[in-house]
């Protein structure tokens, strides 16, 4: 079976499967609670979970008031810990449960970390709420001053590490390091998990009781999201649910898993059955993101002065998590699936482009721009940006000088689209037939096409592309304007631009920070909202239905020159671009994620407005083939073009390729290390 290959396991690619457990609570009944824990631990193991966290005081229940100080109950809690710990050896996962525990005549609200069949360590709660409905200081001692250096905790006849300075590390899984805090701890201005993360914890766990009132669920989710973003970590939150005493309070059992600010999974609230909320956390991505962020290391240096965390080691085991990846994964990293988020992204992207152009025009005292209008996606988007910028500056759109420049392969469809668009938008439109000049140049250099031979090589193509840009620059001189570029981020990644006096160059490029897959949705967004007027809407819809083509080589047997047939599908190239440049992922991991996202068109969500003919799927062989080509183009052959880019605004979170911005690389590098990694780790 192909899926038996290690490549198809999330574990191979740096993922850890975690779960927030929501057990049915049995008030002041540790035996019954341990039964619920044992069942959920076994269920988690069957789901491939490697780390599961339970709510606060989960073995005793939270809302039991003075019963928590009864000796009989405390003794039973310890017996149930001893019963559950061996289960972690049987199941091969680590489990973190909540329990009230005694030490030196003090009672602590604790997280008990179990793995490899034993208790690995115990972390007491740092901050005890004692306001409004909370009275924890009536029963518990705060653990903020408890260090593992103060001595171990006697538990079930063993001495186990005890303190708020403990981190837990899988000795056999690089980066699998987690820290634990309890409920109120993350409501503090400086949660203990912040320093845990700065000390190396990539997964942060919160055992919570947290009764529910109106609006509190949103606040908890906000805190989890913000802590995972600030601490550059994963954050797993598990709150008490059904079965807790409702004498004065109610409980919703909220469970969430966040990573770097994004929600990976949310559990059912107010459920009446025990359940798990599961997600695959990308510890490798977290580490790479921290590596790129110098502020994280600087903050660690400043904030950890005097703080030393002890690493408690355990073995995660060699077992691999199987099956599909358990986390949201957009097919289009630059185009979110969520309609509200897509609307927000389009609003922001379009206005970033518009404002960038407005500022450049103000800086140059410009009232005219020159733009080549082909009837394709990129020039359409740039023209829409120009119209909106002129509108906001109070300038007439007639100052936008649009030129359509048909060549040897220009189709009637794109030319008519270009003219229809310019007329609908009210810009100044002109047409320059470049064929006579191109033929003169081809004759001058002795190209066989000038003698009637059907030779359509790169020279034939670039004579046309270069002439178009040459005309635009001279027209800009002639009219006291500047040239607005149209090439997009995806083309820059692939080097799909004619260098120098070609579509590579302009005076200012508003599209250079926008991926091709996003441009489609930006045009659709502008059309849907009639941002530049209703007249252009039908034309924009027609342009969206046009196949992407440079139209430099005449059609053969009715088939036009296809850009994607040469460089690969833009959805795949944009996927590779995002994960390799934004996070520095290895090609094999980019291929794995791409296959997870694209191998089944019926699974998962598609962006709003995506037409049915775009809802395709790709097998691993196809992905690997195009990724191989992407790696050569991106790392080895196209950097010299990116090292000489015109100005333009950064737009997407995936970064820009400007040498003055996110991406700086030598122009004479080789792609060998990336190609070797791809071949070694991705099956054919």
């Amino acid at each position: 079976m192909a899926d038996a290959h290690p490549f198809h396991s999330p574990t191979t690619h740096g993922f850890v499967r975690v779960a927030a457990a929501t057990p049915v609570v049995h008030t002041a009944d540790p035996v019954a609670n341990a039964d619920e824990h044992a069942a959920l631990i076994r269920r988690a193991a069957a789901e491939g979970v490697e780390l599961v966290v339970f709510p606060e005081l989960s073995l005793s229940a939270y809302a039991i008031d003075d019963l928590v100080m009864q000796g009989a109950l405390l003794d039973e809690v310890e017996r149930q810990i001893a019963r559950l710990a061996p289960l972690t050896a049987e199941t091969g996962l680590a489990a973190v449960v909540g329990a009230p525990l005694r030490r030196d005549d003090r009672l602590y609200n604790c997280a008990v970390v179990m793995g490899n069949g034993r208790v690995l360590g115990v972390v007491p709660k740092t901050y005890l709420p004692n306001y409004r409905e909370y009275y924890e200081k009536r029963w518990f001692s705060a653990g903020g001053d408890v260090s593992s250096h103060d001595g171990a905790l006697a538990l079930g006849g063993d001495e186990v590490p005890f303190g708020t300075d403990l981190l837990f590390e899988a000795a056999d899984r690089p980066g699998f390091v987690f820290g634990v805090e309890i409920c109120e701890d993350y409501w503090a201005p400086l949660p203990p998990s912040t320093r845990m993360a700065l000390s190396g914890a990539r997964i942060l766990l919160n055992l919570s009781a947290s009764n529910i009132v109106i609006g509190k669920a949103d606040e908890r989710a906000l805190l989890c999201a913000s802590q995972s973003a600030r601490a550059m970590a994963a954050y797993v939150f598990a709150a008490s649910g059904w079965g807790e005493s409702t004498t004065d309070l109610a409980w919703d059992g909220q469970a969430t898993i966040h990573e770097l600010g994004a929600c990976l999974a949310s559990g059912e609230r107010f459920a009446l059955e025990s359940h798990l909320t599961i997600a695959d956390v990308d510890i490798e991505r977290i580490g790479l993101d921290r590596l790129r962020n110098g502020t994280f290391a600087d903050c660690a240096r400043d904030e950890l002065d005097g703080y030393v965390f002890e690493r408690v080691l355990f073995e995660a085991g060699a077992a691999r998590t199987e099956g599909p990846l358990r986390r949201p994964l957009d097919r289009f990293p630059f185009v979110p699936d969520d309609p509200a988020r897509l609307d927000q992204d389009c609003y922001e992207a379009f206005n970033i482009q518009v404002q960038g152009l407005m500022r450049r025009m103000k800086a140059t005292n410009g009232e005219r721009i020159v733009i080549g209008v082909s009837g394709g996606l990129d020039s359409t988007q740039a023209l829409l940006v120009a119209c909106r910028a002129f509108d906001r500056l109070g300038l007439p759109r007639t100052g936008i000088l649009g030129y359509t420049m048909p060549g040897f392969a220009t189709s009637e469809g794109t030319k008519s689209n270009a003219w229809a668009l310019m007329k609908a938008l009210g810009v100044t439109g002109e047409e320059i037939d470049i064929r006579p000049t191109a033929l003169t140049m081809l004759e001058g250099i002795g190209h066989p096409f000038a003698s009637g031979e059907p030779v359509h090589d790169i020279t034939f193509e670039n004579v046309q592309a270069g002439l178009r840009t040459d005309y635009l620059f001279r027209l800009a001189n002639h009219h006291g304007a500047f040239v607005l570029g149209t090439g997009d981020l995806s083309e820059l990644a692939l080097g799909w631009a004619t260098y120098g006096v070609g579509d590579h160059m302009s005076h200012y490029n508003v599209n250079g920070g926008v991926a091709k897959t996003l441009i489609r949705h930006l045009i659709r967004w502008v059309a849907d909202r009639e941002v530049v007027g209703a007249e252009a809407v039908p034309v924009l819809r027609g342009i969206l239905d046009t196949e992407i083509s440079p139209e430099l080589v005449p059609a053969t047997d009715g088939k036009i020159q296809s850009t994607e047939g040469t460089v690969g599908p833009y959805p795949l190239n944009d996927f590779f671009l995002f994960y390799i440049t934004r996070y520095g992922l290895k090609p094999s991991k980019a291929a794995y994620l791409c296959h997870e996202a694209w191998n089944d068109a019926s699974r998962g969500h598609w962006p709003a407005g995506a037409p049915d003919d775009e809802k395709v799927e790709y097998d691993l062989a196809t992905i690997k083939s195009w990724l191989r080509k992407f790696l050569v183009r991106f790392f080895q052959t196209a950097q010299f073009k990116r090292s000489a880019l015109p100005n333009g605004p950064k737009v997407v979170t995936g970064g820009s390729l400007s040498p003055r911005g996110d991406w700086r690389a030598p122009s004479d590098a080789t792609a060998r290390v990336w190609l070797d990694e791809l071949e070694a780790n991705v099956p054919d």
Side-chain angles (χ1 to χ4, degrees), residues 127 181 184-196 227 235:
Y127 298 108
E181 62 186 3
E184 183 74 9
D185 291 346
Y186 94 136
W187 298 81
L190 181 61
S193 59
T194 299
R195 289 196 173 96
M196 293 175 192
Q227 186 63 353
Y235 201 91

Side-chain angles (χ1 to χ4, degrees), residues 521-587:
H521 291 272
L522 285 170
I523 294 172
R524 190 175 289 118
W525 182 85
V526 170
D528 289 345
R529 286 151 187 78
E530 300 182 357
V531 175
V532 293
E535 296 83 356
V537 171
V539 187
L540 295 177
R541 303 249 187 253
I543 290 171
L544 286 169
D545 292 334
T546 303
E547 182 175 356
I548 301 171
S549 171
E551 292 195 327
L552 295 172
V553 175
T556 304
D557 297 328
K559 295 183 65 175
I560 68 169
Q561 182 185 15
S562 170
T563 296
E564 292 182 296
T566 301
V567 300
Y570 275 113
L572 296 187
N573 284 317
D574 281 358
F575 197 99
F576 305 150
L577 173 65
F578 179 84
Y579 283 102
I580 289 175
T581 61
R582 172 62 182 85
Y583 294 110
L585 299 190
K586 298 186 290 286

